[in-house]
Amino acid sequence: MSGRWEFWIDRGGTFTDVVGRRPDGRLVTRELLSHDPERHRDAAVAGIRLMLGLGPDDPVPADRIDTVRMGTTVAADALLERRGEPTVLIVTEGFRDALVAGNVETSQAVTGALYAALGVQAEGSGTMNNVTFGNDRVQYYETVASGSGAGDGFDGADAVQTHMTNSRLTDPEVLEWRYPVRPESFSVREGSGGTGRWRGGCGAERRIRFLEPMTVALLSGHRRVPPCGMAGGGPGATGSNFVERADGTVTPLEGCDTAEAGPGDTLVVRTPGGGGYGRPED
């Protein structure tokens, strides 16, 4: 034991629960109304004062406290309901998964979070739609364009590279010349942009047919959760990935997935649309 108090606090919309560990190791608890201006200005501080035997206006002695850990559902509720001041949280430790594809997928997610927190623009596709394929003879990597988010006074752009990705596709003639593949089509996914006073940009559909066995690997996002709209605008459409087999069957793929493809199989990548901005009726 440290010889000092430790506190764990959960601040909810109605009640604030305070758990304290005394210097002798015993646990004590208090439950207070989170909003009770006649009794206290802050429920968490009031709970600490009560456990330390202090008066409502007495200063809290820091030398008697070892640790205070606090969580809250109030901030989460405000975020979900889009209440309160715009807030941005940037972390550099504690999220190990963020290091995977950090310069491609994580950077897109961070950009979307910043736009949402500041309320300046709907989210774009939020992904680079990374596609790789190859075998023991050839290897290839590309990113596939998608929809950008709309903002106050402008529509999102269709089938465009946004934010981190900012790259061009290999010309189809060069792709066919250097690799055993046939680009079947590259088109705009009409209607995939979010609705709104200003609509989100539409995503794209990319179809590549293989002429010999290949291993396909995908790293893509917003296959389950759609890119968010802003200020009443609708979300963009989610993306999808699958392989159309030469025998007519279809193999669905996850956002991050691998698959073995044979001659005549076609990889299909449908990228997300961007979110819309503003209510459609405005």
Side-chain angles (χ1 to χ4, degrees):
M1 297 298 170
S2 66
R4 295 187 293 176
W5 282 78
E6 296 176 274
F7 294 100
W8 296 269
I9 304 168
D10 176 22
R11 188 198 302 275
T14 303
F15 293 103
T16 293
D17 297 299
V18 182
V19 178
R21 177 182 284 151
R22 296 161 51 103
D24 61 11
R26 288 193 300 161
L27 295 177
V28 291
T29 62
R30 289 279 186 175
E31 183 179 70
L32 302 89
L33 287 171
S34 295
H35 183 70
D36 193 359
E38 294 183 359
R39 290 184 170 85
H40 52 72
R41 294 171 57 187
D42 183 277
V45 177
I48 291 174
R49 281 197 175 103
L50 287 170
M51 290 185 182
L52 294 178
L54 302 174
D57 298 317
D58 291 341
V60 177
D63 59 353
R64 294 183 60 187
I65 299 173
D66 179 70
T67 303
V68 177
R69 294 183 174 91
M70 185 168 179
T72 177
T73 59
V74 175
D77 291 343
L79 178 64
L80 293 172
E81 297 171 10
R82 298 190 181 279
R83 295 184 285 106
E85 293 299 318
T87 303
V88 176
L89 171 65
I90 298 177
V91 298
T92 58
E93 295 183 5
F95 291 83
R96 295 176 59 188
D97 291 345
L99 300 178
V100 178
N103 71 323
V104 285
E105 294 303 288
T106 303
S107 64
Q108 295 276 356
V110 169
T111 302
L114 289 170
Y115 281 165
L118 298 174
V120 295
Q121 182 177 328
E123 185 179 16
S125 68
T127 175
M128 284 181 60
N129 304 292
N130 303 270
V131 176
T132 63
F133 59 80
N135 52 30
D136 58 1
R137 190 174 64 85
V138 295
Q139 297 83 40
Y140 177 76
Y141 168 53
E142 69 178 26
T143 64
V144 185
S146 47
S148 68
D152 188 4
F154 60 91
D155 294 328
D158 299 336
V160 67
Q161 302 282 13
T162 59
H163 313 318
M164 173 65 192
T165 175
N166 191 28
S167 58
R168 296 179 59 186
L169 283 177
T170 302
D171 292 337
E173 296 85 359
V174 174
L175 191 60
E176 291 182 352
W177 175 45
R178 294 186 175 180
Y179 297 90
V181 301
R182 293 291 180 269
E184 291 191 340
S185 66
F186 184 36
S187 58
V188 174
R189 287 182 66 199
E190 297 293 345
S192 58
T195 58
R197 182 177 182 184
W198 292 282
R199 69 166 183 83
C202 293
E205 179 178 288
R206 176 83 160 159
R207 301 175 63 91
I208 299 176
R209 179 162 50 90
F210 302 110
L211 304 183
E212 61 182 62
M214 292 281 182
T215 299
V216 178
L218 301 168
L219 180 61
S220 58
H222 282 302
R223 266 48 184 178
R224 290 179 295 178
V225 178
C228 68
M230 183 62 62
T238 55
S240 62
N241 312 311
F242 53 93
V243 175
E244 292 180 347
R245 302 294 181 180
D247 63 5
T249 60
V250 175
T251 302
L253 301 175
E254 299 291 334
C256 300
D257 212 343
T258 62
E260 298 300 323
D265 291 349
T266 301
L267 172 66
V268 182
V269 176
R270 292 175 176 167
T271 65
Y277 189 97
R279 296 179 301 175
E281 61 269 21
D282 288 345

